[in-house]
């Protein structure tokens, strides 16, 4: 009997080890590059008529990380997606004619010509999505920071408290991950900036910001947190704000009910 229990404990230990390893693999999938033939995460081909373009800085780890999360999210929704290298955009600042949303993690590394292209794009009605905070004047102008702001950083704000329904039903809901945002305090921003989400533990800390510029808009995450899979929904919601009336696939639902499937065929007229 003791030998029987011993065998069961050994089997359970092996199963727990395998489950732990599987979870670690799942968490690491997002950092695999699409060019890696051994990667378990696969991406759709980039579009030559994208609705969303990502300006990718391959020398910035978080720019790479955000790119992979956003690309996979848009793959699920079948939204045409394109990538422009930072070097290429700084060399020849051009966007596709079909582009409605431009995503860039580190706007401060754009040269003057490329930055002016971004300003013209948003002024003409485009949407800029900034998925992370940068202590930079270019980020500040786009995000609605005051020209004389001290760029003072809050070191204690954590989590989210939603002020609008960025996702269905999230208004007044909260999310706490206890990781400091390390972004700009509210005093740095102009009064006309809209705050779509504050911090969980600080009602005056602007976590997600909406700023209008010309005919367009900028959506910025005032956070230095490293992007994770759980952030994909928020990234997608922000990007959708620049894609009105664009249909998209829904990858996951909670339940699907099929009545009499496969349905029998009867030799009668349908009611």
């Amino acid at each position: 009997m003791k030998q029987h229990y011993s065998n069961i404990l050994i089997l359970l230990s092996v199963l727990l080890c395998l489950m732990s390893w599987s979870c670690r693999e799942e968490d690491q999938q997002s950092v695999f590059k699409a060019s890696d033939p051994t990667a378990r995460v696969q991406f759709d081909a980039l579009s030559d008529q994208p609705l969303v373009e990502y300006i990718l800085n391959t020398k910035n780890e978080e720019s790479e990380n955000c790119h992979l999360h956003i690309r996979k999210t848009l793959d699920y929704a079948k939204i045409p997606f394109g990538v422009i290298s930072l070097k290429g955009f700084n060399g020849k600042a051009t966007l596709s004619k079909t582009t409605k949303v431009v995503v860039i993690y580190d706007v401060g590394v754009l040269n003057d010509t490329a930055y002016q292209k971004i300003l013209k794009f948003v002024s003409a009605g485009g949407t800029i999505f900034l998925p992370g905070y940068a202590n930079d004047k270019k980020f500040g102008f786009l995000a609605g920071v005051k020209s004389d702001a001290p760029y003072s950083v809050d070191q204690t704000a954590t989590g989210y408290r939603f002020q609008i329904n960025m996702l269905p039903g999230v208004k007044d809901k909260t999310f706490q991950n206890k990781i400091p945002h390390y972004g700009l305090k509210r005093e740095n921003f102009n009064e006309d900036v809209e705050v779509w989400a504050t911090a969980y533990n600080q009602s005056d800390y602007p976590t997600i910001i909406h700023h209008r510029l010309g005919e367009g808009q900028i959506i910025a995450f005032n956070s230095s947190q490293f992007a994770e899979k759980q952030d994909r929904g928020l990234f997608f919601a922000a990007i959708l704000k620049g894609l009105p009336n664009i249909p998209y696939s829904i990858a996951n639902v909670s339940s699907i009910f099929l009545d009499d499937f496969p349905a029998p065929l009867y030799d009668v007229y349908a009611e």
Side-chain angles (χ1 to χ4, degrees):
M1 181 64 70
K2 291 183 178 179
Q3 181 66 32
H4 180 66
Y5 283 125
S6 177
N7 291 337
I8 292 176
L9 288 174
I10 293 173
L11 180 59
L12 287 174
S13 298
V14 171
L15 288 175
L16 288 172
C17 288
L18 289 174
M19 290 173 64
S20 176
W21 176 259
S22 175
C23 290
R24 285 200 299 270
E25 280 195 321
E26 172 67 17
D27 290 338
Q28 292 171 354
Q29 283 183 16
S30 62
V31 301
F32 287 139
K33 296 183 179 180
S35 59
D36 182 357
T38 65
R40 293 178 60 184
V41 175
Q42 300 297 320
F43 297 98
D44 293 344
L46 296 173
S47 174
D48 57 358
Q49 293 182 313
L51 293 175
V52 180
E53 285 194 279
Y54 192 105
I55 300 176
L56 175 62
N57 181 5
T58 56
K59 296 181 179 180
N60 184 311
E61 182 181 5
E62 183 58 358
S63 178
E64 286 263 25
N65 182 46
C66 283
H67 153 252
L68 295 176
H69 284 302
I70 289 171
R71 181 174 179 180
K72 193 59 184 176
T73 301
L74 297 182
D75 276 0
Y76 285 138
K78 304 303 178 186
I79 292 177
F81 178 74
V83 174
I84 310 172
S85 71
L86 173 65
K87 182 178 179 180
F89 194 68
N90 275 337
K92 185 180 181 181
T94 58
L95 298 169
S96 296
K97 294 181 180 179
T98 56
T99 298
K100 296 184 179 296
V101 180
V102 171
V103 185
I104 179 168
Y105 181 80
D106 43 358
V107 68
V109 296
L110 296 178
N111 62 28
D112 289 341
T113 301
Y115 184 61
Q116 288 301 317
K117 177 66 177 180
I118 290 295
L119 293 180
K120 289 180 181 179
F121 171 77
V122 68
S123 296
T127 296
I128 302 294
F129 175 43
L130 306 174
Y133 155 73
N135 187 12
D136 179 88
K137 293 290 185 180
K138 292 175 182 175
F139 170 90
F141 180 77
L142 289 173
V145 174
K146 299 174 182 177
S147 59
D148 59 347
Y151 282 77
S152 50
V153 173
D154 188 294
Q155 300 183 19
T156 59
T158 60
Y160 297 87
R161 187 178 299 274
F162 295 97
Q163 306 300 307
I164 68 167
N165 283 317
M166 281 194 68
L167 295 168
V170 300
K171 184 178 180 180
D172 298 325
K173 299 292 178 60
T174 60
F175 171 74
Q176 171 66 303
N177 60 4
K178 298 184 179 180
I179 302 174
H181 289 294
Y182 292 114
L184 295 176
K185 295 180 179 180
R186 182 64 178 92
E187 65 192 38
N188 296 279
F189 293 92
N190 292 312
E191 294 300 321
D192 61 349
V193 166
E194 298 176 35
V195 178
W196 284 0
T198 61
Y200 172 87
N201 61 341
Q202 290 187 34
S203 60
D204 62 342
Y205 179 85
T207 308
I208 302 177
I209 300 157
H210 180 253
H211 180 221
R212 294 197 174 277
L213 187 63
E215 297 296 320
Q217 60 181 343
I218 297 94
I219 301 166
F221 280 36
N222 184 29
S223 177
S224 301
Q225 291 184 8
F226 198 72
E228 299 178 324
K229 287 178 67 175
Q230 65 190 22
D231 299 317
R232 292 180 183 179
L234 285 179
F235 289 166
F236 184 59
I239 290 171
L240 280 185
K241 297 297 183 181
L243 300 174
N245 306 316
I246 299 295
Y248 59 92
S249 300
I250 298 176
N252 298 304
V253 295
S254 59
S255 301
I256 297 177
F257 296 94
L258 300 177
D259 185 23
D260 293 330
F261 181 82
L265 299 177
Y266 301 106
D267 190 21
V268 295
Y269 289 106
E271 295 181 358

